[in-house]
Amino acid sequence: MPPDFPAAPSRDARHDGWGTLRRFMPYLWPKDDWRLRARIVGAVTLILASTATQFALPYFLKWAVDAMNMTGERVATFAMLFVLAYAAGRLGGVVFDNLRNIVFERVGQQATAQLAEHVFNRLHRLSLRFHLARRTGEVTKVIERGTKSIDTMLYFMLFNIAPTIILLVGIAVVFYLNFGWPLVASTSLAVVAYIWATRAITEWRSKLREQMNRLDGQALSRAVDSLLNYETVKYFNAEAREEARYAQATQAYAAAAVKSENSLGLLNIAQALITNLLMAVAMALTVRGWARGEYSAGQLVFVQTYLTQLFRPLDMLGMVYRTIRQGLIDMADMFRLIDTEIEVKDAPGAPALVIKRPTLAFDNVVFGYEPDRTILKGLSFEVPAAHQVAIVGPSGAGKSTIARLVFRFYDPWSGRVLIDGQDIREVTQASLRQHIGIVPQDSVLFNETIGYNIAYGRDGATAAEVEAAARGAALWPLIQRLPQGLDTEVGERGLKLSGGEKQRVAIARTLVKNPPILLLDEATSALDTRTEQEILATLHSVAEGRTSLSIAHRLSTIADADTILVLSEGQLAEQGNHQDLLRLGGLYAEMWTRQAEAIEEYGEAAQ
């Protein structure tokens, strides 16, 4: 299970830093995996070994140079040994560094995978309101950046910053013991100036980078949105408009990228100025001491080697700081997704829904999507067990809202939704949805095979159950005609299938689930009349013996329902069977007459 964290106090992406690192630590140091913790300890040990080797190298080189200033066979032997020790030390440093990477790689990848899984899990737990408002491209980009930044950020923090700090302290001690305070003070002043300049310029660059991220996400979002709506673009000859919108976003991103790259040049110049001034001062002090007879020639090499070792990580400090800073920002963005409040939650200790008699009831339900617009206004009705009840009404009456409340995508403001007398807010969502099947108006399929989409109705469905469901949905004749049968790919969102074929796959998927309660949310409104009648016959067969609630626009599709509920402005206006409602002469009779006239006019026009 991923670790639980309190929500972050700020929604600003700059709530990164130590707060973000503290939230990430449980992924890096897992309590229940001693093997990964052992790897971290091993990596730290190798870091110390590599740093110790770096400290020894300048001494080997100094002793070799000093030995070469003397004569004698024995001295030459010592000089050769020091040179070989220097070469062996350099090799050892490389070996230690790469062994460290090998040991730590699994830790970084495991932490990245666990955090990515946690975010994915959180996204599925967020409410329908969030997913209706989200921009898929931007959310995908946030997750991609956040997970990719983790491994790189950890590498630089553990394998660059930590060794550099140890190196700085060690060099200060060595310089003090060998050269006194002047060289220590010069080195310290240069390092402080280097860090200050790097941080100041990198902070400026971070703002430019954030702007680049925002513009990059905007460009990706526009591209994804446009491609998902490919047919709509074609319908309205809007290719030029879409290209202009995308070009606007990419040009804005390019302008921000130019500023960011130019600022990098300024950073490199400032860093080079400080490091080379330090090198000049340090070597000048050493040469002056040599001229006075205080230092040997080897100490010039000694100073130059230590400073070169110090400059190597310092030269990367700008990139390291920028990478860590950007990594923290990207991780903070990802944690903001995790912190998004879950609107619909299971009650603490909620039991599973147990159904003996599959009844469905709305008890004085009041609900709206926005506080200033109420959709359902005290709605009450009951669907008895094994009855087929239909809901009709004008557009905006709240019909589709009922289906969302039944599946508990939202909770009512007041009132209760009951299944077998149990308030659905008091049971687990998983058990609730396990007992309800739906055939929606727009049956969206995964970009997989027909067999996969049918079997999706229930985890672990067997091939025999999939075939039985396909037969029950009158889909088997089509599957037999296809060369690849159940292995036929349906395309993105099922676009390779016709509307009727998609609906039959959705029906088969529900049959595999085998729920006691069935919701038909305008399941045939997007189909032609002939296909509609075929699907209706299948739906009637599927609904037989189940408790079914049909939400319909065309009244002819629900005329044989046991009970018809007529909604008007979020309230129950009429109820009864088809004949009773026609005799009543109210809203239902008016809607029936209008639809009949429309069909008659359409028939005359066709003739």
Side-chain angles (χ1 to χ4, degrees):
M1 290 295 292
D4 292 325
F5 301 100
S10 169
R11 292 185 63 81
D12 188 347
R14 290 185 174 272
H15 80 281
D16 46 275
W18 292 114
T20 301
L21 286 177
R22 281 196 300 271
R23 296 189 66 178
F24 179 67
M25 282 306 297
Y27 295 97
L28 182 61
W29 187 261
K31 295 180 180 179
D32 56 349
D33 196 334
W34 64 268
R35 291 182 180 85
L36 289 182
R37 285 184 288 173
R39 284 178 174 270
I40 295 174
V41 173
V44 171
T45 303
L46 289 167
I47 289 173
L48 295 176
S50 176
T51 306
T53 303
Q54 291 183 52
F55 274 118
L57 292 180
Y59 279 99
F60 293 148
L61 205 57
K62 170 185 177 297
W63 293 336
V65 172
D66 286 341
M68 290 172 66
N69 287 328
M70 295 181 284
T71 57
E73 184 177 343
R74 191 171 183 181
V75 171
T77 301
F78 278 117
M80 181 64 70
L81 289 174
F82 290 142
V83 169
L84 293 176
Y86 177 80
R90 286 178 59 86
L91 174 62
V94 173
V95 171
F96 288 141
D97 287 345
N98 283 276
L99 285 176
R100 171 203 67 194
N101 294 344
I102 293 171
V103 169
F104 189 77
E105 182 63 25
R106 183 177 295 277
V107 178
Q109 292 298 334
Q110 188 66 26
T112 301
Q114 287 185 353
L115 184 54
E117 290 167 11
H118 188 191
V119 176
F120 186 74
N121 175 271
R122 184 74 173 194
L123 286 174
H124 275 290
R125 291 165 61 195
L126 292 179
S127 67
L128 180 63
R129 191 188 308 275
F130 169 85
H131 288 280
L132 291 176
R134 77 169 191 260
R135 293 182 178 272
T136 305
E138 291 183 2
V139 171
T140 304
K141 201 71 173 179
V142 166
I143 298 173
E144 179 186 356
R145 286 199 196 104
T147 52
K148 282 187 175 180
S149 69
I150 294 169
D151 196 44
T152 304
M153 190 180 69
L154 286 176
Y155 179 86
F156 282 131
M157 289 184 67
L158 293 176
F159 304 152
N160 186 279
I161 299 254
T164 301
I165 293 173
I166 298 172
L167 194 62
L168 276 171
V169 175
I171 288 176
V173 173
V174 170
F175 279 3
Y176 173 73
L177 294 176
N178 288 271
F179 305 101
W181 283 112
L183 189 54
V184 174
S186 301
T187 304
S188 301
L189 180 63
V191 169
V192 169
Y194 188 99
I195 293 174
W196 178 85
T198 300
R199 185 180 186 278
I201 298 176
T202 304
E203 281 292 336
W204 171 46
R205 297 195 72 239
S206 293
K207 294 179 182 178
L208 295 176
R209 181 74 181 187
E210 287 178 25
Q211 183 183 16
M212 285 175 59
N213 281 352
R214 179 176 56 80
L215 294 171
D216 187 26
Q218 183 183 73
L220 180 65
S221 176
R222 289 183 178 180
V224 171
D225 200 28
S226 181
L227 292 175
L228 287 177
N229 291 279
Y230 170 83
E231 294 182 11
T232 304
V233 173
K234 292 293 184 182
Y235 292 151
F236 295 96
N237 294 327
E239 292 91 342
R241 270 183 284 165
E242 292 299 317
E243 290 167 8
R245 288 182 74 239
Y246 182 68
Q248 179 188 16
T250 54
Q251 289 300 320
Y253 171 79
V258 168
K259 291 181 182 179
S260 178
E261 290 303 314
N262 291 344
S263 65
L264 177 61
L266 179 61
L267 175 64
N268 290 336
I269 291 172
Q271 290 175 334
L273 177 63
I274 295 170
T275 55
N276 284 285
L277 281 175
L278 172 60
M279 180 70 80
V281 170
M283 296 186 73
L285 289 174
T286 307
V287 169
R288 189 180 68 172
W290 170 79
R292 294 176 178 178
E294 298 173 357
Y295 304 141
S296 66
Q299 285 178 299
L300 180 66
V301 178
F302 183 71
V303 170
Q304 190 272 341
T305 306
Y306 263 124
L307 289 180
T308 300
Q309 288 184 348
L310 178 61
F311 290 162
R312 190 179 305 121
L314 281 181
D315 282 342
M316 297 178 62
L317 184 61
M319 182 188 70
V320 170
Y321 179 80
R322 185 174 64 253
T323 301
I324 292 176
R325 188 78 175 87
Q326 184 59 44
L328 290 171
I329 290 172
D330 291 339
M331 285 178 63
D333 286 339
M334 192 160 60
F335 281 128
R336 279 172 52 194
L337 279 180
I338 294 176
D339 292 337
T340 303
E341 186 177 355
I342 299 175
E343 184 177 342
V344 179
K345 301 178 183 178
D346 286 342
L353 176 66
V354 178
I355 295 182
K356 297 179 180 177
R357 296 185 70 256
T359 61
L360 171 65
F362 272 51
D363 180 17
N364 198 29
V365 171
V366 178
F367 174 75
Y369 297 105
E370 301 297 336
D372 57 349
R373 185 188 173 203
T374 305
I375 304 296
L376 301 182
K377 305 169 183 176
L379 179 63
S380 296
F381 65 84
E382 183 176 359
V383 182
H387 275 59
Q388 298 184 20
V389 175
I391 296 179
V392 299
S395 297
K399 301 187 297 296
S400 293
T401 299
I402 290 173
R404 290 175 172 177
L405 290 176
V406 170
F407 267 91
R408 210 182 161 209
F409 292 151
Y410 301 93
D411 282 333
W413 294 349
S414 64
R416 300 181 301 166
V417 179
L418 305 170
I419 291 182
D420 197 6
Q422 302 163 72
D423 189 336
I424 64 174
R425 286 176 297 191
E426 297 176 359
V427 299
T428 61
Q429 297 174 65
S431 65
L432 166 69
R433 293 165 189 157
Q434 182 182 358
H435 290 89
I436 307 173
I438 186 169
V439 180
Q441 176 180 357
D442 181 19
S443 300
V444 178
L445 306 181
F446 290 96
N447 189 5
E448 275 282 355
T449 64
I450 293 177
Y452 175 89
N453 278 280
I454 295 175
Y456 199 82
R458 191 181 75 255
D459 189 23
T462 65
E465 290 171 331
V466 169
E467 180 179 338
R471 292 182 184 276
L475 186 65
W476 195 247
L478 168 68
I479 293 173
Q480 288 182 312
R481 291 196 302 269
L482 295 172
Q484 293 178 297
L486 287 169
D487 294 328
T488 302
E489 297 280 344
V490 302
E492 189 170 9
R493 300 173 65 86
L495 294 178
K496 290 184 179 180
L497 302 181
S498 68
E501 291 165 350
K502 286 171 60 178
Q503 289 297 75
R504 292 191 185 279
V505 172
I507 294 169
R509 185 161 57 188
T510 302
L511 284 174
V512 166
K513 188 176 185 180
N514 193 27
I517 298 175
L518 183 62
L519 265 175
L520 307 175
D521 187 5
E522 303 200 41
T524 62
S525 62
L527 305 177
D528 62 86
T529 304
R530 179 177 177 180
T531 305
E532 179 187 61
Q533 293 304 314
E534 294 174 353
I535 296 294
L536 279 175
T538 305
L539 288 174
H540 288 320
S541 174
V542 170
E544 193 70 33
R546 304 176 196 268
T547 301
S548 70
L549 181 63
S550 300
I551 299 168
H553 174 69
R554 286 201 283 267
L555 304 186
S556 58
T557 63
I558 49 86
D560 58 348
D562 297 324
T563 305
I564 299 173
L565 307 176
V566 185
L567 294 189
S568 178
E569 297 183 357
Q571 294 177 312
L572 185 60
E574 302 168 6
Q575 68 177 26
N577 60 36
H578 175 69
Q579 296 300 330
D580 291 341
L581 291 174
L582 288 181
R583 283 194 295 268
L584 187 62
L587 179 59
Y588 181 85
E590 179 186 346
M591 293 171 60
W592 179 268
T593 302
R594 287 185 177 180
Q595 288 193 13
E597 290 175 351
I599 294 172
E600 185 178 345
E601 290 176 3
Y602 177 78
E604 291 177 355
Q607 292 176 1

